[in-house]
Amino acid sequence: MLGMLFNDKECKELDYVLRKELDEMLLDMSDNRLDQDIRHAIANRYKTIFRMYARFAPSKELSKYARRARFPQI
């Protein structure tokens, strides 16, 4: 396990970067033009990024990115 110390500005930046990455992956997973293998790889990466975001995001914010309500599991 690794630990990192962030100041307030860095925490906000990390929050922003993770949210934007989650938004982008949700958009990509909803694109039916992508191959199923690619969508599966994106879904695996989404799980990792979501768990990172879940460590510090408030539950209200976290619920926006819960996949089960928006997209079925691939």
Side-chain angles (χ1 to χ4, degrees):
M1 176 180 252
L2 296 174
M4 298 178 80
L5 293 174
F6 294 110
N7 63 31
D8 191 46
K9 185 177 180 181
E10 292 167 337
C11 284
K12 288 178 182 176
E13 183 65 27
L14 181 62
D15 178 66
Y16 175 79
V17 168
L18 292 176
R19 281 188 291 115
K20 291 303 168 191
E21 190 64 26
L22 289 170
D23 286 335
E24 194 68 32
M25 285 187 282
L26 284 173
L27 184 65
D28 289 343
M29 285 188 288
S30 67
D31 188 355
N32 292 327
R33 296 175 296 170
L34 294 176
D35 186 25
Q36 188 68 15
D37 292 336
I38 293 171
R39 291 173 64 201
H40 184 69
I42 294 169
N44 287 337
R45 185 162 186 258
Y46 186 90
K47 290 176 191 175
T48 303
I49 302 295
F50 181 79
R51 283 184 292 207
M52 289 172 62
Y53 185 61
R55 291 178 186 244
F56 59 86
S59 59
K60 183 178 181 181
E61 207 43 47
L62 196 58
S63 65
K64 294 178 183 177
Y65 297 101
R67 266 190 72 215
R68 290 197 189 274
R70 300 180 95 173
F71 300 102
Q73 295 291 328
I74 296 175

Coordinates of all heavy atoms in Angstrom, one line a residue:
M1 N 0.8 -1.2 0.0 CA 0.0 0.0 0.0 C 0.9 1.2 0.0 O 1.9 1.3 0.7 CB -0.9 0.0 1.2 CG -1.7 1.2 1.3 SD -2.8 1.2 2.8 CE -4.3 0.9 2.0
L2 N 0.5 2.2 -0.8 CA 1.2 3.5 -0.8 C 0.4 4.6 -0.2 O -0.9 4.5 -0.3 CB 1.5 3.9 -2.3 CG 2.4 2.9 -3.1 CD1 2.5 3.4 -4.5 CD2 3.8 2.9 -2.5
G3 N 1.0 5.5 0.4 CA 0.3 6.7 0.9 C 0.9 8.0 0.3 O 2.0 8.0 -0.1
M4 N 0.0 8.9 0.2 CA 0.4 10.2 -0.4 C -0.2 11.3 0.4 O -1.4 11.2 0.9 CB -0.1 10.3 -1.9 CG 0.6 9.3 -2.8 SD 0.0 9.4 -4.5 CE 1.0 10.7 -5.1
L5 N 0.5 12.4 0.5 CA -0.1 13.6 1.2 C -0.3 14.7 0.1 O 0.5 15.0 -0.7 CB 0.9 14.2 2.2 CG 1.2 13.3 3.4 CD1 2.3 13.9 4.2 CD2 -0.1 13.1 4.2
F6 N -1.5 15.2 0.1 CA -1.9 16.3 -0.8 C -2.3 17.5 0.0 O -3.0 17.4 1.0 CB -3.1 15.8 -1.7 CG -2.8 14.7 -2.6 CD1 -3.3 13.5 -2.4 CD2 -1.9 14.9 -3.7 CE1 -3.1 12.4 -3.3 CE2 -1.7 13.9 -4.6 CZ -2.2 12.6 -4.4
N7 N -2.1 18.7 -0.6 CA -2.6 19.9 0.0 C -4.0 20.1 -0.6 O -4.5 19.3 -1.4 CB -1.7 21.1 -0.2 CG -1.5 21.5 -1.6 OD1 -2.4 21.3 -2.5 ND2 -0.4 22.0 -2.0
D8 N -4.7 21.1 -0.1 CA -6.1 21.3 -0.5 C -6.3 21.5 -2.0 O -7.2 20.9 -2.7 CB -6.7 22.5 0.2 CG -8.2 22.6 0.1 OD1 -8.9 21.5 0.2 OD2 -8.7 23.7 -0.2
K9 N -5.4 22.3 -2.6 CA -5.4 22.5 -4.0 C -5.2 21.2 -4.8 O -5.9 21.0 -5.8 CB -4.4 23.6 -4.4 CG -4.5 24.0 -5.9 CD -3.5 25.1 -6.1 CE -3.5 25.5 -7.6 NZ -2.5 26.6 -7.9
E10 N -4.3 20.4 -4.4 CA -4.0 19.2 -5.1 C -5.2 18.2 -5.0 O -5.5 17.5 -5.9 CB -2.7 18.5 -4.5 CG -1.5 19.3 -4.9 CD -0.3 18.9 -4.1 OE1 -0.4 18.3 -3.0 OE2 0.8 19.2 -4.5
C11 N -5.8 18.2 -3.8 CA -7.0 17.3 -3.6 C -8.1 17.7 -4.6 O -8.8 16.9 -5.2 CB -7.5 17.4 -2.2 SG -6.5 16.5 -1.0
K12 N -8.3 19.0 -4.7 CA -9.4 19.5 -5.7 C -9.0 19.1 -7.1 O -9.9 18.7 -7.9 CB -9.6 21.0 -5.5 CG -10.2 21.4 -4.2 CD -10.4 22.9 -4.1 CE -11.0 23.2 -2.8 NZ -11.1 24.7 -2.6
E13 N -7.8 19.2 -7.4 CA -7.3 18.9 -8.8 C -7.5 17.4 -9.1 O -8.0 17.0 -10.1 CB -5.9 19.3 -9.0 CG -5.4 19.1 -10.4 CD -6.1 19.9 -11.5 OE1 -6.6 21.0 -11.1 OE2 -6.1 19.4 -12.6
L14 N -7.1 16.6 -8.1 CA -7.3 15.1 -8.2 C -8.8 14.8 -8.4 O -9.2 13.9 -9.2 CB -6.7 14.4 -7.1 CG -6.8 12.9 -7.1 CD1 -6.0 12.3 -8.3 CD2 -6.2 12.3 -5.8
D15 N -9.6 15.4 -7.6 CA -11.0 15.2 -7.7 C -11.6 15.5 -9.1 O -12.3 14.8 -9.7 CB -11.7 16.1 -6.6 CG -13.2 16.0 -6.7 OD1 -13.8 14.9 -6.4 OD2 -13.9 17.0 -7.0
Y16 N -11.1 16.7 -9.6 CA -11.5 17.1 -10.9 C -11.1 16.1 -12.0 O -11.9 15.7 -12.9 CB -11.0 18.5 -11.2 CG -11.2 19.0 -12.6 CD1 -12.5 19.5 -12.9 CD2 -10.2 18.9 -13.6 CE1 -12.7 19.9 -14.2 CE2 -10.5 19.3 -14.9 CZ -11.7 19.9 -15.2 OH -12.0 20.3 -16.5
V17 N -9.8 15.7 -11.9 CA -9.3 14.8 -12.9 C -10.0 13.5 -12.9 O -10.4 12.9 -14.0 CB -7.8 14.6 -12.7 CG1 -7.2 13.5 -13.5 CG2 -7.0 15.9 -13.0
L18 N -10.3 12.9 -11.7 CA -10.9 11.6 -11.6 C -12.4 11.7 -12.1 O -12.9 10.9 -12.9 CB -10.9 11.1 -10.2 CG -9.5 10.7 -9.7 CD1 -9.6 10.3 -8.2 CD2 -8.9 9.6 -10.6
R19 N -13.1 12.8 -11.8 CA -14.5 13.0 -12.3 C -14.5 13.1 -13.8 O -15.4 12.5 -14.4 CB -15.1 14.2 -11.6 CG -15.6 14.0 -10.2 CD -16.4 15.2 -9.7 NE -15.6 16.3 -9.5 CZ -15.7 17.5 -10.1 NH1 -16.6 17.7 -11.1 NH2 -14.9 18.5 -9.9
K20 N -13.6 13.8 -14.4 CA -13.6 14.0 -15.8 C -13.3 12.7 -16.5 O -13.8 12.3 -17.5 CB -12.6 15.1 -16.3 CG -13.0 16.4 -15.9 CD -14.4 16.7 -16.5 CE -15.0 18.0 -15.9 NZ -16.4 18.2 -16.2
E21 N -12.4 11.9 -15.9 CA -12.0 10.6 -16.5 C -13.2 9.6 -16.4 O -13.5 8.9 -17.3 CB -10.8 10.0 -15.7 CG -10.3 8.8 -16.4 CD -9.7 9.0 -17.8 OE1 -9.2 10.2 -18.0 OE2 -9.6 8.1 -18.6
L22 N -13.9 9.7 -15.3 CA -15.1 8.8 -15.1 C -16.2 9.2 -16.1 O -16.8 8.4 -16.7 CB -15.7 8.9 -13.7 CG -14.9 8.2 -12.6 CD1 -15.4 8.6 -11.2 CD2 -14.8 6.7 -12.8
D23 N -16.4 10.5 -16.3 CA -17.4 11.0 -17.3 C -17.0 10.5 -18.7 O -17.9 10.1 -19.4 CB -17.4 12.6 -17.3 CG -18.1 13.1 -16.1 OD1 -19.0 12.4 -15.5 OD2 -17.8 14.3 -15.7
E24 N -15.8 10.6 -19.0 CA -15.3 10.2 -20.4 C -15.5 8.7 -20.6 O -16.0 8.3 -21.6 CB -13.8 10.6 -20.5 CG -13.4 10.5 -21.9 CD -14.0 11.6 -22.8 OE1 -14.3 12.7 -22.4 OE2 -14.2 11.3 -24.0
M25 N -15.2 7.9 -19.6 CA -15.4 6.5 -19.7 C -16.9 6.1 -19.8 O -17.2 5.2 -20.5 CB -14.7 5.8 -18.5 CG -13.2 5.8 -18.7 SD -12.3 4.7 -17.5 CE -12.4 5.8 -16.1
L26 N -17.7 6.8 -19.0 CA -19.2 6.5 -19.1 C -19.7 6.8 -20.5 O -20.5 6.1 -21.1 CB -19.9 7.4 -18.1 CG -19.9 6.9 -16.7 CD1 -20.6 7.9 -15.8 CD2 -20.5 5.5 -16.5
L27 N -19.2 7.9 -21.1 CA -19.5 8.2 -22.5 C -19.0 7.2 -23.5 O -19.8 6.7 -24.3 CB -18.9 9.6 -22.9 CG -19.3 10.2 -24.2 CD1 -20.8 10.4 -24.3 CD2 -18.5 11.4 -24.5
D28 N -17.8 6.7 -23.3 CA -17.3 5.7 -24.2 C -18.0 4.4 -24.0 O -18.3 3.7 -25.0 CB -15.8 5.5 -23.9 CG -14.9 6.6 -24.3 OD1 -15.4 7.4 -25.1 OD2 -13.8 6.7 -23.9
M29 N -18.4 4.0 -22.8 CA -19.1 2.7 -22.6 C -20.5 2.8 -23.2 O -21.1 1.7 -23.5 CB -19.2 2.4 -21.1 CG -17.8 1.9 -20.6 SD -17.9 1.2 -18.9 CE -18.1 2.7 -18.0
S30 N -21.1 4.0 -23.4 CA -22.4 4.1 -23.9 C -22.4 4.1 -25.5 O -23.4 4.0 -26.1 CB -23.1 5.3 -23.4 OG -22.5 6.4 -23.9
D31 N -21.2 4.2 -26.0 CA -21.0 4.2 -27.5 C -21.0 2.8 -28.1 O -20.1 2.0 -27.9 CB -19.7 4.9 -27.8 CG -19.5 5.2 -29.3 OD1 -20.4 4.8 -30.1 OD2 -18.5 5.8 -29.7
N32 N -22.1 2.5 -28.8 CA -22.3 1.2 -29.3 C -21.4 0.9 -30.5 O -21.3 -0.2 -31.0 CB -23.8 1.0 -29.7 CG -24.7 0.9 -28.5 OD1 -24.3 0.4 -27.5 ND2 -25.9 1.4 -28.7
R33 N -20.7 1.9 -31.1 CA -19.8 1.7 -32.2 C -18.5 1.0 -31.8 O -17.8 0.5 -32.6 CB -19.5 3.0 -32.8 CG -20.7 3.7 -33.5 CD -20.4 5.1 -34.0 NE -20.0 5.9 -32.8 CZ -19.4 7.1 -33.0 NH1 -19.2 7.6 -34.1 NH2 -19.1 7.8 -31.9
L34 N -18.2 1.1 -30.5 CA -17.0 0.5 -30.0 C -17.1 -1.0 -29.9 O -18.2 -1.5 -29.5 CB -16.6 1.0 -28.6 CG -16.2 2.5 -28.6 CD1 -15.9 2.9 -27.2 CD2 -15.0 2.8 -29.5
D35 N -16.1 -1.7 -30.1 CA -16.0 -3.2 -30.0 C -16.3 -3.6 -28.6 O -15.9 -2.9 -27.7 CB -14.6 -3.6 -30.5 CG -14.5 -5.2 -30.6 OD1 -15.5 -5.8 -30.8 OD2 -13.4 -5.6 -30.5
Q36 N -16.9 -4.8 -28.4 CA -17.2 -5.3 -27.1 C -15.9 -5.5 -26.2 O -15.9 -5.2 -25.0 CB -17.9 -6.6 -27.2 CG -18.5 -7.2 -25.9 CD -19.6 -6.3 -25.3 OE1 -20.2 -5.5 -26.0 NE2 -19.9 -6.5 -24.1
D37 N -14.8 -5.9 -26.8 CA -13.6 -6.1 -26.1 C -13.0 -4.7 -25.6 O -12.5 -4.6 -24.4 CB -12.5 -6.7 -27.0 CG -12.8 -8.2 -27.3 OD1 -13.6 -8.8 -26.5 OD2 -12.3 -8.7 -28.3
I38 N -13.2 -3.7 -26.4 CA -12.7 -2.4 -26.0 C -13.6 -1.9 -24.8 O -13.1 -1.3 -23.8 CB -12.7 -1.4 -27.1 CG1 -11.6 -1.8 -28.2 CG2 -12.5 0.1 -26.7 CD1 -11.7 -1.1 -29.5
R39 N -14.9 -2.0 -25.0 CA -15.8 -1.6 -23.9 C -15.6 -2.3 -22.6 O -15.7 -1.8 -21.5 CB -17.2 -1.8 -24.4 CG -17.6 -0.8 -25.5 CD -18.9 -1.0 -26.1 NE -20.0 -0.8 -25.1 CZ -21.2 -1.3 -25.2 NH1 -21.5 -2.0 -26.3 NH2 -22.1 -1.0 -24.3
H40 N -15.2 -3.6 -22.7 CA -14.9 -4.4 -21.5 C -13.6 -3.9 -20.8 O -13.5 -3.8 -19.6 CB -14.7 -5.9 -21.9 CG -14.5 -6.8 -20.7 ND1 -15.4 -7.0 -19.8 CD2 -13.4 -7.4 -20.3 CE1 -15.0 -7.8 -18.9 NE2 -13.7 -8.1 -19.2
A41 N -12.6 -3.5 -21.6 CA -11.4 -2.9 -21.1 C -11.6 -1.6 -20.4 O -11.1 -1.3 -19.3 CB -10.3 -2.8 -22.2
I42 N -12.5 -0.8 -21.0 CA -12.9 0.5 -20.4 C -13.6 0.3 -19.1 O -13.4 1.0 -18.1 CB -13.7 1.3 -21.4 CG1 -12.9 1.7 -22.6 CG2 -14.3 2.5 -20.7 CD1 -13.7 2.3 -23.7
A43 N -14.5 -0.7 -19.1 CA -15.3 -1.1 -17.8 C -14.3 -1.5 -16.7 O -14.5 -1.1 -15.6 CB -16.3 -2.2 -18.1
N44 N -13.3 -2.3 -17.0 CA -12.3 -2.6 -16.0 C -11.6 -1.4 -15.5 O -11.3 -1.3 -14.3 CB -11.3 -3.7 -16.6 CG -12.0 -5.0 -16.7 OD1 -13.0 -5.3 -16.1 ND2 -11.4 -5.8 -17.6
R45 N -11.2 -0.6 -16.4 CA -10.5 0.7 -15.9 C -11.4 1.5 -15.1 O -11.0 2.2 -14.1 CB -10.0 1.4 -17.2 CG -9.1 2.6 -16.8 CD -8.3 3.0 -18.0 NE -7.4 4.1 -17.6 CZ -7.6 5.4 -17.8 NH1 -8.7 5.8 -18.5 NH2 -6.8 6.3 -17.4
Y46 N -12.7 1.6 -15.5 CA -13.7 2.4 -14.8 C -13.8 1.9 -13.3 O -13.8 2.8 -12.4 CB -15.0 2.3 -15.4 CG -16.1 3.2 -14.8 CD1 -16.3 4.4 -15.3 CD2 -16.9 2.8 -13.8 CE1 -17.2 5.3 -14.8 CE2 -17.8 3.6 -13.2 CZ -18.0 4.9 -13.7 OH -18.9 5.7 -13.2
K47 N -13.8 0.6 -13.1 CA -13.8 0.1 -11.7 C -12.7 0.6 -10.9 O -12.9 1.0 -9.7 CB -13.8 -1.4 -11.7 CG -15.1 -2.0 -12.3 CD -15.0 -3.5 -12.3 CE -16.1 -4.2 -13.1 NZ -15.9 -5.6 -13.3
T48 N -11.5 0.6 -11.5 CA -10.3 1.1 -10.7 C -10.4 2.5 -10.4 O -10.2 3.0 -9.2 CB -9.0 0.8 -11.6 OG1 -9.0 -0.6 -11.9 CG2 -7.8 1.2 -10.8
I49 N -10.7 3.4 -11.4 CA -10.8 4.8 -11.2 C -11.9 5.1 -10.2 O -11.8 6.0 -9.3 CB -11.0 5.5 -12.5 CG1 -9.9 5.2 -13.5 CG2 -11.2 7.0 -12.3 CD1 -8.6 5.7 -13.1
F50 N -13.1 4.4 -10.3 CA -14.2 4.6 -9.4 C -13.8 4.3 -7.9 O -14.1 5.1 -7.0 CB -15.4 3.7 -9.8 CG -16.6 3.9 -9.0 CD1 -17.4 5.0 -9.2 CD2 -16.9 3.0 -7.9 CE1 -18.5 5.2 -8.4 CE2 -18.0 3.2 -7.2 CZ -18.8 4.3 -7.4
R51 N -13.0 3.3 -7.7 CA -12.6 2.9 -6.4 C -11.6 4.0 -5.8 O -11.7 4.3 -4.6 CB -11.9 1.6 -6.3 CG -13.0 0.5 -6.4 CD -12.3 -0.9 -6.2 NE -11.5 -1.1 -7.5 CZ -11.2 -2.2 -8.0 NH1 -11.5 -3.3 -7.4 NH2 -10.5 -2.3 -9.1
M52 N -10.8 4.6 -6.7 CA -9.9 5.7 -6.3 C -10.8 6.9 -5.9 O -10.5 7.5 -4.8 CB -9.0 6.0 -7.4 CG -7.9 5.0 -7.7 SD -7.0 5.4 -9.2 CE -6.3 7.0 -8.8
Y53 N -11.7 7.2 -6.7 CA -12.6 8.4 -6.4 C -13.4 8.1 -5.1 O -13.7 9.1 -4.4 CB -13.5 8.6 -7.6 CG -14.3 9.8 -7.5 CD1 -13.8 11.1 -7.4 CD2 -15.7 9.8 -7.6 CE1 -14.6 12.2 -7.3 CE2 -16.5 10.9 -7.5 CZ -15.9 12.1 -7.3 OH -16.7 13.2 -7.2
A54 N -13.9 6.9 -4.9 CA -14.7 6.6 -3.8 C -14.0 6.8 -2.4 O -14.6 6.9 -1.4 CB -15.2 5.1 -3.9
R55 N -12.7 6.8 -2.4 CA -11.9 6.9 -1.2 C -12.1 8.3 -0.6 O -11.9 8.5 0.7 CB -10.5 6.7 -1.4 CG -10.2 5.2 -1.7 CD -8.7 5.0 -2.0 NE -8.5 3.6 -2.4 CZ -7.8 2.8 -1.7 NH1 -7.3 3.1 -0.6 NH2 -7.7 1.5 -2.2
F56 N -12.4 9.3 -1.3 CA -12.5 10.6 -0.7 C -13.8 11.4 -1.2 O -14.0 12.5 -0.7 CB -11.3 11.5 -1.0 CG -11.0 11.7 -2.5 CD1 -11.5 12.7 -3.2 CD2 -10.1 10.8 -3.1 CE1 -11.2 12.9 -4.5 CE2 -9.8 11.0 -4.4 CZ -10.3 12.0 -5.1
A57 N -14.6 10.9 -2.1 CA -15.7 11.6 -2.6 C -16.9 11.5 -1.6 O -17.1 10.4 -1.0 CB -16.1 11.1 -4.0
P58 N -17.7 12.5 -1.5 CA -18.9 12.4 -0.7 C -19.9 11.5 -1.4 O -19.9 11.3 -2.6 CB -19.5 13.8 -0.6 CG -18.7 14.6 -1.5 CD -17.5 13.9 -2.0
S59 N -20.8 10.8 -0.6 CA -21.7 9.8 -1.1 C -22.6 10.4 -2.2 O -23.0 9.7 -3.1 CB -22.4 9.1 0.0 OG -23.2 10.0 0.7
K60 N -23.0 11.6 -2.0 CA -23.9 12.3 -3.0 C -23.2 12.4 -4.3 O -23.8 12.1 -5.4 CB -24.4 13.6 -2.5 CG -25.3 14.3 -3.4 CD -25.8 15.7 -2.8 CE -26.8 16.3 -3.7 NZ -27.2 17.6 -3.2
E61 N -22.0 12.8 -4.3 CA -21.2 12.9 -5.5 C -20.9 11.5 -6.1 O -20.9 11.3 -7.3 CB -19.9 13.6 -5.1 CG -19.2 14.4 -6.1 CD -20.0 15.3 -7.1 OE1 -20.8 16.1 -6.7 OE2 -19.6 15.2 -8.3
L62 N -20.7 10.6 -5.3 CA -20.3 9.2 -5.7 C -21.5 8.5 -6.4 O -21.3 7.8 -7.3 CB -19.9 8.4 -4.5 CG -19.1 7.1 -4.7 CD1 -17.9 7.4 -5.5 CD2 -18.8 6.5 -3.4
S63 N -22.7 8.8 -6.0 CA -23.9 8.2 -6.6 C -24.0 8.6 -8.0 O -24.7 7.8 -8.8 CB -25.1 8.5 -5.8 OG -25.4 9.9 -5.8
K64 N -23.5 9.7 -8.4 CA -23.6 10.1 -9.8 C -22.8 9.2 -10.8 O -23.1 9.1 -11.9 CB -23.0 11.5 -10.0 CG -23.8 12.6 -9.3 CD -23.1 13.9 -9.6 CE -23.8 15.0 -8.8 NZ -23.1 16.3 -9.0
Y65 N -21.8 8.5 -10.2 CA -21.0 7.6 -11.0 C -21.2 6.1 -10.8 O -20.5 5.3 -11.3 CB -19.5 8.0 -10.8 CG -19.2 9.4 -11.2 CD1 -19.1 10.4 -10.2 CD2 -19.1 9.7 -12.5 CE1 -18.9 11.7 -10.6 CE2 -18.8 11.0 -12.9 CZ -18.7 12.0 -12.0 OH -18.5 13.3 -12.4
A66 N -22.3 5.8 -10.0 CA -22.6 4.4 -9.8 C -23.0 3.8 -11.2 O -24.0 4.3 -11.8 CB -23.6 4.2 -8.8
R67 N -22.4 2.8 -11.6 CA -22.7 2.2 -13.0 C -24.0 1.4 -13.1 O -24.6 1.4 -14.1 CB -21.5 1.3 -13.4 CG -20.5 2.1 -14.2 CD -19.5 1.2 -14.9 NE -20.1 0.5 -16.0 CZ -19.8 -0.8 -16.3 NH1 -18.9 -1.4 -15.6 NH2 -20.4 -1.3 -17.3
R68 N -24.3 0.7 -12.1 CA -25.5 -0.2 -12.2 C -26.8 0.5 -12.6 O -27.6 0.0 -13.4 CB -25.7 -0.9 -10.9 CG -24.7 -2.0 -10.6 CD -25.2 -2.9 -9.5 NE -24.1 -3.8 -9.1 CZ -23.8 -4.9 -9.7 NH1 -24.4 -5.3 -10.8 NH2 -22.8 -5.6 -9.2
A69 N -26.9 1.7 -12.1 CA -28.1 2.5 -12.5 C -28.1 3.0 -13.9 O -29.1 3.2 -14.5 CB -28.3 3.7 -11.5
R70 N -26.9 3.2 -14.4 CA -26.8 3.8 -15.7 C -26.6 2.8 -16.9 O -27.2 2.9 -17.9 CB -25.7 4.9 -15.8 CG -25.9 6.0 -14.8 CD -24.8 6.9 -14.8 NE -25.2 8.0 -15.7 CZ -24.4 9.1 -15.9 NH1 -23.3 9.2 -15.3 NH2 -24.9 10.0 -16.7
F71 N -25.7 1.9 -16.6 CA -25.4 0.9 -17.7 C -25.3 -0.5 -17.1 O -24.8 -0.6 -16.0 CB -24.0 1.3 -18.3 CG -23.9 2.6 -18.9 CD1 -23.3 3.7 -18.2 CD2 -24.5 2.9 -20.1 CE1 -23.3 4.9 -18.8 CE2 -24.5 4.1 -20.7 CZ -23.9 5.2 -20.0
P72 N -25.7 -1.5 -17.8 CA -25.5 -2.8 -17.3 C -24.1 -3.2 -17.3 O -23.3 -2.6 -18.0 CB -26.3 -3.7 -18.3 CG -26.4 -2.9 -19.5 CD -26.4 -1.4 -19.1
Q73 N -23.7 -4.1 -16.4 CA -22.3 -4.6 -16.4 C -22.0 -5.3 -17.6 O -22.8 -6.0 -18.2 CB -22.1 -5.5 -15.2 CG -22.3 -4.9 -13.8 CD -21.2 -3.9 -13.5 OE1 -20.1 -4.1 -13.9 NE2 -21.5 -2.8 -12.8
I74 N -20.8 -5.1 -18.1 CA -20.3 -5.7 -19.4 C -19.7 -7.0 -19.0 O -18.9 -7.2 -18.1 CB -19.4 -4.8 -20.2 CG1 -20.2 -3.6 -20.6 CG2 -18.9 -5.5 -21.4 CD1 -19.3 -2.5 -21.2

